[in-house]
């Protein structure tokens, strides 16, 4: 894609039309903002144009939008073309659709760091979150809490009603645990019917932090003790 210095599209090749869904004539005279996905803030574009002005090029990943509204990931390179006076006269942009690659990367990340059944962080991600919480606690001098819990009578449930019903119970328990903590806290599945809750950024005082952690623990116990409606095969 080629644009003027003020961002008016003056030429595109067939690949641009194929990727974006816009015809050649639909794009001529338009501004590249037509592809804006809304996923990037003003600071992102400010740095992009700053690099173009200072270095003459920019390269990176951008989320763009096709004509049909679908958002796609683009690996993009923008180069500034200068005239004989050294002024920028045009920009050339090369980009490729890397949505499939980004989707695969996200799936690999999900498998590596999240429990497949409950979608909670697994042991690997828990280890990282716990280390971060401890470092943050050292910096801020605020207390945190670590809770380890399991579900009573889980094995008899599995033995009596099967693993399908047991899985339903684990998923429901995971959802209830998440409602008991803040977004900055972590609920992880440690394995089987075992869960870990990391409550961070409490207060500077041990007594008040202990009271807060106890309140969260009691909230969790009440939430998990409520009846479960599980629809099994029988």
């Amino acid at each position: 894609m080629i644009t003027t210095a003020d961002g008016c599209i003056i030429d595109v090749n067939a690949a641009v039309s194929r990727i974006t869904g816009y015809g050649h004539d639909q794009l001529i005279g338009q501004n590249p903002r037509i592809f804006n996905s809304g996923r990037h803030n003003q600071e992102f574009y400010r740095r992009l144009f700053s690099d173009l002005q200072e270095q003459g090029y920019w390269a990176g990943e951008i989320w763009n939008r096709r004509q049909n509204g679908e958002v796609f990931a683009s690996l993009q390179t923008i180069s500034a073309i200068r005239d004989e006076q050294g002024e920028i006269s045009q920009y050339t942009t090369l980009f490729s659709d890397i949505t499939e690659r980004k989707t695969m990367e996200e799936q690999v990340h999900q498998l590596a760091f999240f429990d497949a059944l409950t979608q909670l962080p697994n042991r690997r991600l828990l280890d990282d979150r716990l280390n971060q919480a401890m470092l943050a606690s050292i910096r801020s001098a605020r207390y945190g809490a670590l809770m380890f819990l399991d579900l009573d009578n889980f094995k008899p449930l599995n033995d009596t009603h099967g693993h399908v019903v047991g899985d339903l119970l684990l998923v429901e328990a995971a959802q209830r645990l998440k409602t008991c903590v803040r977004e900055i806290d972590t609920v992880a599945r440690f394995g089987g019917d075992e869960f870990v809750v990391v409550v961070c950024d409490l207060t500077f005082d041990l007594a008040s932090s202990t009271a807060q952690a106890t309140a969260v623990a009691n909230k969790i116990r009440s939430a998990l003790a409520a009846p479960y409606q599980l629809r099994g095969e029988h």
Side-chain angles (χ1 to χ4, degrees):
M1 180 172 66
I2 302 175
T3 70
T4 61
D6 58 358
C8 179
I9 299 175
I10 57 177
D11 195 17
V12 297
N13 66 3
V16 174
S17 295
R18 184 175 67 253
I19 292 174
T20 66
Y22 290 96
H24 179 276
D25 294 341
Q26 292 177 297
L27 290 173
I28 302 304
Q30 295 284 351
N31 188 287
R33 284 193 296 269
I34 194 173
F35 306 128
N36 195 324
S37 67
R39 290 198 178 187
H40 303 288
N41 57 27
Q42 291 298 317
E43 178 62 18
F44 174 85
Y45 291 106
R46 188 196 67 77
R47 292 180 179 178
L48 187 156
F49 287 111
S50 176
D51 287 348
L52 281 176
Q53 293 292 325
E54 296 175 6
Q55 304 174 20
Y57 71 92
W58 179 89
E61 295 180 1
I62 295 183
W63 287 94
N64 288 321
R65 189 179 300 276
R66 307 187 208 274
Q67 186 184 32
N68 63 6
E70 179 185 0
V71 175
F72 69 99
S74 172
L75 184 62
Q76 199 156 311
T77 301
I78 307 174
S79 300
I81 300 176
R82 300 183 182 274
D83 57 23
E84 295 179 353
Q85 286 73 40
E87 299 295 327
I88 296 176
S89 60
Q90 293 179 344
Y91 293 105
T92 61
T93 302
L94 302 175
F95 62 91
S96 56
D97 186 347
I98 59 170
T99 308
E100 185 175 348
R101 192 191 82 187
K102 296 293 289 185
T103 301
M104 292 179 63
E105 289 176 353
E106 185 176 335
Q107 291 173 346
V108 170
H109 179 271
Q110 189 75 15
L111 290 171
F113 294 102
F114 290 87
D115 175 58
L117 177 64
T118 63
Q119 303 304 309
L120 293 178
N122 59 18
R123 288 193 186 193
R124 185 176 180 183
L125 184 54
L126 170 65
D127 184 59
D128 180 67
R129 295 272 183 90
L130 185 56
N131 283 329
Q132 290 183 27
M134 293 173 69
L135 289 173
S137 180
I138 292 172
R139 289 194 300 268
S140 67
R142 290 177 178 270
Y143 285 93
L146 179 67
M147 305 178 190
F148 188 94
L149 59 130
D150 64 3
L151 305 179
D152 291 343
N153 302 314
F154 180 71
K155 187 177 184 303
L157 176 72
N158 260 345
D159 293 343
T160 305
H161 298 284
H163 291 287
V164 173
V165 175
D167 287 348
L168 291 174
L169 177 67
L170 291 172
V171 171
E172 175 63 22
Q175 293 301 316
R176 295 185 187 188
L177 286 170
K178 289 171 64 176
T179 64
C180 295
V181 298
R182 304 161 297 175
E183 287 191 7
I184 62 173
D185 301 325
T186 296
V187 177
R189 185 184 179 195
F190 199 70
D193 66 338
E194 299 171 335
F195 297 89
V196 173
V197 178
V198 181
V199 183
C200 56
D201 199 27
L202 296 175
T203 69
F204 301 102
D205 178 68
L206 177 59
S208 61
S209 294
T210 301
Q212 288 182 1
T214 302
V216 173
N218 288 331
K219 185 178 180 181
I220 289 174
R221 291 178 63 186
S222 297
L224 293 179
Y228 293 81
Q229 300 293 331
L230 306 175
R231 294 185 177 272
E233 295 179 0
H234 305 292

